[in-house]
Amino acid sequence: MCGIIGYVGENQAAPILLEGLSSLEYRGYDSAGIAVFSDNKINIQKAGGRLSVLNQKTDNGKAVTGTVGIGHTRWATHGKPSDTNSHPHLSKSGRFAVVHNGIIENYIPLKNKLIEKGFEFVSETDTEVIAHLFEYYYKTDIVEAAIKVIGHVKGSYALGVLCSDYPDRFIAVRKASPMIVGLGENENYIASDVTAILSHTRKVYYLEDDEVVVLKKDSVKIYNIDKDEVKKQAFTVDWDVSAAEKGGYEHFMMKEMEEEPTAFMNTISPRIKNGRIVLDDISLTEEYIKNINKIFIIACGSAYHVGMVGKYLIEKTCRIPVEAVLASEFRYCDPIVTPNDLCIIISQSGETADTLAALKEAKALGAKTLSIVNVVGSSIANLSDDCIYTWAGPEIAVATTKAYSTQLAVMYLINIYFAEKLGTITPEQYSSLVAELQKVPDMIAGILAQKDKMQYCASKFYNCHSIFFIGRNIDYAVALEGSLKLKEISYIHSEAYAAGELKHGTISLIENGTLVIALATGKMLYDKTLSNVKEVKARGAVVLGVTTADMPDKEDLGDYLIELPDVNEMFLPSLTVVPLQLFSYYVASLKGCDIDKPRNLAKSVTVE
Ligand code: G6P
C-alpha cells in the first residue's frame, strides 16, 4: 500500500524523504514522488516505477534543495501507475501539494462540484480532489481549511500537505489510515509507518482520527475538529533499528524466518511467570471466560490462517464453539454476534482496513473484543477492548513469517489460559503444556538449522506449474498458510485442501508428476491422511510428506519426507509451517522472484 513521509528541520529534506521512502518500499508501490519547498516554491519530483528512478532523477535528492517536504510511494487504486497519477498532487494554483494514503469514497461528486467551480483535473486519482478542496476552502488558515476538507470527504485518509504561503511548516491529518508524528531535536516528521523514521527518532505521537497536526522544525501542534489544541503523550518505540535492516541477509524474509525463535520467545516469556501464564494485558475475568457463548476469530490473509489454527485448538481444548471468519466477509454477512460472544481480532499491522472495520462491527454488536497485534499504538490495538501484543519486532518482507509465528504463540497462550480457567485441562496437563511451550523456540531453531533440506526439495520442484497442499484438521489450517506463502512469493499456482475433500473434485487436477505436499502430523488422523496420499499417488502425484519423527510408518507418507521433532500436538503448527516457509522462499529464489516485494501485493492493506 502507499507510504508517506514528511520532514521539517535544519537538514536537506529530499535525501531524508527518499531514505524514508526506501524503508517503506516493502509496503508495495508502483510509483514515487516528493514535494519540497525550494526558494519559496513547491518543487515536485515524481516518477513511475521503482524508487531508484526517482533517486536517479533527483541525484539521490541532492538536486532538490530545501528543508521542508513530503514524500510518497503510491500503490495504484484510482488510475494506472504513471508519473501523472503519482503523488504529490498540486492544487489549481499550485499553492497546495498533497500526498494521500487511503481512498476518498465520494471523490466523484466532489470532483464534479469542483469542475463546475472551474477546477481542472490532470490525474485520474481521487487524491487530486483533496488538493483542489484545500485551495477551495482556504482563506488564510491552513488548519481551518483542513477541518473544512475533512468535513466534506468520506473514506480513509492519511494526508501530508504543503502550502506555499507557509514555507516553514507542513500539516498532516489522518482517518482510518495509519500516520504517526516523529519528534526530533529541531526537526519533526510524519510517517505512515514507524520504520520510515526509526533511524532518526523513536519518540512518536499516535494521531487519532481527524486530528490535524502542524509541524514546524521546533514545534508540533495538534488540533481537533473544533480547532482546540490537543495535548498528547509521546510514546517511545522500542523497536531496534537493526531489526528493520537486512543485516547481511539477501532478503528480509530469510532474516525474519531466522528471527522466529527469538520473536516467539519474546512473545511468550514475559507472560509466563513461575510456570503460570499471566495475561496482565487483558481484562477477561474467570467468570467472563466461563460465560463465553461463542468465539469469533476475525482476520485477513495469514492472520486468518492463525485464526483457523485457533478454531481447531480452542474447540478441542476449551470446548467453546469457535468460528474463524475472514474480516472482509464478517463485515458484510450480517453476523449473528451476541454480547456473550468474544471476538478475537488478529492483525500484524493493526491497520488492515477490513479487519479494522470488522472490529468496529463486532463492537457495535456488543461483543467483547480482544486483539492480537504486532504494531504498538495501531488502530486495531487502540480500538479493541483488550490487546495482546506480539513481540515480533518490525516485519518488512511482505510475506509474513515471524509475525505469523508469534500470533500462533499468543493463540497457544490464550488457549491454555482459557482451558485452565474452564477446568477443561488438569493442573498436570496445564503445567506440562506451559513447560513444553517454552521448548518450541529451540525446536523452530532446529528446523531452521536444517534449511538445506528444503533448499534441496525446492531445487526439485521449482519448475512446477501447480502444487497442492493437503492436511486434516490443524494440518489443514497450516496447509492454507503453506499454500498462500508459495503463491505470494513464487507465483506458482497452489491450492490447499482438507485432505479428505480432495476427491470431491480437485483430484481431477492431479496428473503424472504433480507435487502434493501432505501434512500429517496429528497421530489420530495420520492413517486417514495416509489414505489420501495413496489416492493421489495412484494418480501419478509426487508426494512431499511432513510428519513427526516418532510417527509409525512415516516412510509410507511420501517420496520425500520432512520430519519434525515430537512435541505436544497443540504446538505442531509452529513447527510444521517452518519447512513450508523455507520451501516457498527457496522456490521463489530459484525462480528469480522479488521475494520481499512480490508483485501486486502490499504488506499492509489499508483499503477495502
Ligand atoms: C496482506 C499481507 C498478508 C497479511 C494480510 C493481513 O495481505 O500481504 O501477509 O497476512 O495483509 O495483514 P495484517 O497486518 O492485518 O496481519
Side-chain angles (χ1 to χ4, degrees):
M1 293 281 110
C2 308
I4 288 181
I5 171 130
Y7 173 81
V8 50
E10 291 175 342
N11 295 308
Q12 289 300 305
I16 293 173
L17 298 176
L18 290 168
E19 177 214 313
L21 291 181
S22 80
S23 53
L24 294 174
E25 277 188 288
Y26 76 97
R27 292 170 65 94
Y29 73 105
D30 38 48
S31 57
I34 55 171
V36 175
F37 278 120
S38 296
D39 304 323
N40 284 333
K41 282 203 308 287
I42 298 176
N43 179 353
I44 291 197
Q45 299 292 331
K46 38 192 189 177
R50 288 288 178 210
L51 195 56
S52 52
V53 184
L54 185 62
N55 274 319
Q56 219 168 13
K57 195 171 169 185
T58 60
D59 188 16
N60 292 319
K62 287 193 236 75
V64 181
T65 55
T67 57
V68 184
I70 50 180
H72 190 260
T73 44
R74 173 174 186 254
W75 188 82
T77 55
H78 294 63
K80 59 185 179 305
S82 68
D83 285 8
T84 320
N85 286 334
S86 11
H87 303 203
H89 287 285
L90 275 178
S91 65
K92 187 179 167 192
S93 67
R95 181 179 266 135
F96 288 95
V98 173
V99 291
H100 166 219
N101 286 0
I103 287 183
I104 304 303
E105 286 164 4
N106 60 338
Y107 85 102
I108 293 178
L110 290 173
K111 185 171 178 174
N112 290 339
K113 177 178 154 181
L114 287 162
I115 289 171
E116 269 173 35
K117 305 266 177 210
F119 287 82
E120 281 167 24
F121 283 76
V122 293
S123 78
E124 302 159 87
T125 65
D126 51 338
T127 305
E128 201 182 345
V129 161
I130 305 261
H132 293 316
L133 275 182
F134 261 94
E135 177 141 342
Y136 181 65
Y137 287 118
Y138 175 71
K139 302 272 185 293
T140 53
D141 185 327
I142 34 177
V143 174
E144 277 171 16
I147 290 170
K148 283 253 168 60
V149 171
I150 58 187
H152 285 81
V153 294
K154 290 197 184 116
S156 58
Y157 43 82
L159 302 172
V161 184
L162 293 183
C163 172
S164 58
D165 291 351
Y166 296 94
D168 64 337
R169 70 195 73 171
F170 69 96
I171 66 162
V173 194
R174 65 148 270 174
K175 182 180 185 187
S177 189
M179 168 83 89
I180 53 153
V181 174
L183 307 167
E185 285 292 316
N186 268 334
E187 56 182 20
N188 292 302
Y189 301 82
I190 55 162
S192 50
D193 188 322
V194 72
T195 49
I197 54 168
L198 211 52
S199 57
H200 302 284
T201 180
R202 283 150 183 287
K203 245 172 99 184
V204 299
Y205 285 146
Y206 295 111
L207 291 181
E208 300 291 321
D209 278 359
D210 286 338
E211 285 178 342
V212 182
V213 53
V214 182
L215 298 101
K216 298 194 215 171
K217 73 173 182 186
D218 49 7
S219 74
V220 170
K221 291 204 165 143
I222 301 171
Y223 301 91
N224 65 16
I225 201 92
D226 298 320
K227 215 187 155 199
D228 298 325
E229 199 176 332
V230 179
K231 290 284 171 216
K232 270 198 188 291
Q233 190 199 343
F235 284 85
T236 305
V237 178
D238 59 5
W239 281 359
D240 186 357
V241 184
S242 67
E245 289 166 354
K246 269 193 202 151
Y249 285 90
E250 199 179 342
H251 299 105
F252 277 109
M253 185 177 173
M254 178 53 82
K255 177 174 180 261
E256 288 163 5
M257 283 189 285
E258 294 281 6
E259 286 169 353
E260 280 182 54
T262 312
F264 192 106
M265 194 45 117
N266 288 347
T267 301
I268 60 164
S269 57
R271 290 157 178 143
I272 299 177
K273 288 174 191 144
N274 302 322
R276 300 206 48 86
I277 296 173
V278 183
L279 295 182
D280 289 335
D281 341 40
I282 63 174
S283 63
L284 306 183
T285 60
E286 184 168 330
E287 198 198 339
Y288 172 82
I289 294 166
K290 284 184 169 154
N291 284 306
I292 294 174
N293 171 52
K294 179 175 176 181
I295 296 176
F296 289 86
I297 309 183
I298 308 163
C300 299
S302 297
Y304 165 71
H305 296 155
V306 172
M308 286 286 288
V309 172
K311 173 194 162 59
Y312 285 115
L313 288 184
I314 297 174
E315 287 196 335
K316 192 168 179 193
T317 323
C318 301
R319 308 309 294 159
I320 301 175
V322 182
E323 194 177 332
V325 207
L326 291 164
S328 53
E329 288 299 309
F330 180 86
R331 54 187 299 198
Y332 296 121
C333 73
D334 205 358
I336 304 171
V337 177
T338 67
N340 279 350
D341 296 338
L342 171 67
C343 290
I344 301 180
I345 318 285
I346 312 177
S347 174
Q348 185 284 129
S349 61
E351 301 292 350
T352 302
D354 280 321
T355 314
L356 181 58
L359 163 64
K360 289 178 182 163
E361 176 75 15
K363 286 190 81 157
L365 292 168
K368 201 158 182 67
T369 53
L370 163 63
S371 63
I372 302 173
V373 172
N374 194 41
V375 178
V376 174
S378 56
S379 303
I380 292 172
N382 284 344
L383 212 71
S384 46
D385 299 318
D386 287 307
C387 173
I388 303 182
Y389 282 112
T390 51
W391 298 119
E395 191 177 62
I396 308 294
V398 166
T400 176
T401 51
K402 64 172 178 171
Y404 172 89
S405 187
T406 56
Q407 288 163 354
L408 283 180
V410 173
M411 202 45 91
Y412 303 146
L413 289 171
I414 292 175
N415 189 33
I416 303 167
Y417 185 81
F418 278 23
E420 198 239 5
K421 303 275 179 244
L422 293 165
T424 53
I425 50 173
T426 61
E428 293 72 34
Q429 284 171 321
Y430 177 84
S431 302
S432 124
L433 283 168
V434 174
E436 228 173 324
L437 176 61
Q438 294 171 88
K439 293 185 191 148
V440 173
D442 280 347
M443 293 182 177
I444 298 176
I447 300 169
L448 286 166
Q450 297 175 45
K451 54 168 108 52
D452 50 328
K453 277 193 197 158
M454 294 323 292
Q455 193 168 18
Y456 172 74
C457 293
S459 73
K460 295 276 168 203
F461 299 112
Y462 75 97
N463 276 326
C464 286
H465 294 295
S466 199
I467 296 179
F468 293 82
F469 289 73
I470 59 170
R472 286 171 180 261
N473 215 287
I474 286 190
D475 281 331
Y476 169 51
V478 182
L480 288 167
E481 176 59 9
S483 171
L484 179 67
K485 215 81 312 181
L486 186 76
K487 282 185 274 244
E488 278 181 312
I489 60 170
S490 77
Y491 315 142
I492 292 178
H493 166 255
S494 170
E495 299 201 24
Y497 253 79
E501 182 65 16
L502 199 71
K503 57 180 150 313
H504 297 290
T506 309
I507 202 163
S508 63
L509 299 174
I510 305 291
E511 46 188 35
N512 255 349
T514 304
L515 176 64
V516 174
I517 300 183
L519 312 182
T521 65
K523 295 214 168 50
M524 287 272 293
L525 293 169
Y526 182 77
D527 289 342
K528 304 281 174 202
T529 307
L530 194 58
S531 304
N532 303 130
V533 164
K534 299 242 158 78
E535 289 160 7
V536 293
K537 280 184 81 97
R539 284 151 184 92
V542 180
V543 175
L544 167 62
V546 182
T547 188
T548 51
D550 65 339
M551 192 71 81
D553 304 330
K554 62 184 178 215
E555 275 74 25
D556 296 348
L557 189 64
D559 305 283
Y560 300 84
L561 195 64
I562 301 299
E563 294 178 32
L564 306 172
D566 189 27
V567 68
N568 185 294
E569 286 189 8
M570 186 187 293
F571 309 129
L572 272 168
S574 293
L575 308 185
T576 316
V577 78
V578 180
L580 309 185
Q581 293 169 342
L582 288 166
F583 180 73
S584 302
Y585 175 86
Y586 286 120
V587 167
S589 166
L590 287 162
K591 288 188 72 189
C593 300
D594 190 348
I595 292 181
D596 285 337
K597 297 187 283 281
R599 72 181 177 213
N600 303 340
L601 298 186
K603 179 77 183 158
S604 174
V605 180
T606 48
V607 296
E608 227 186 284

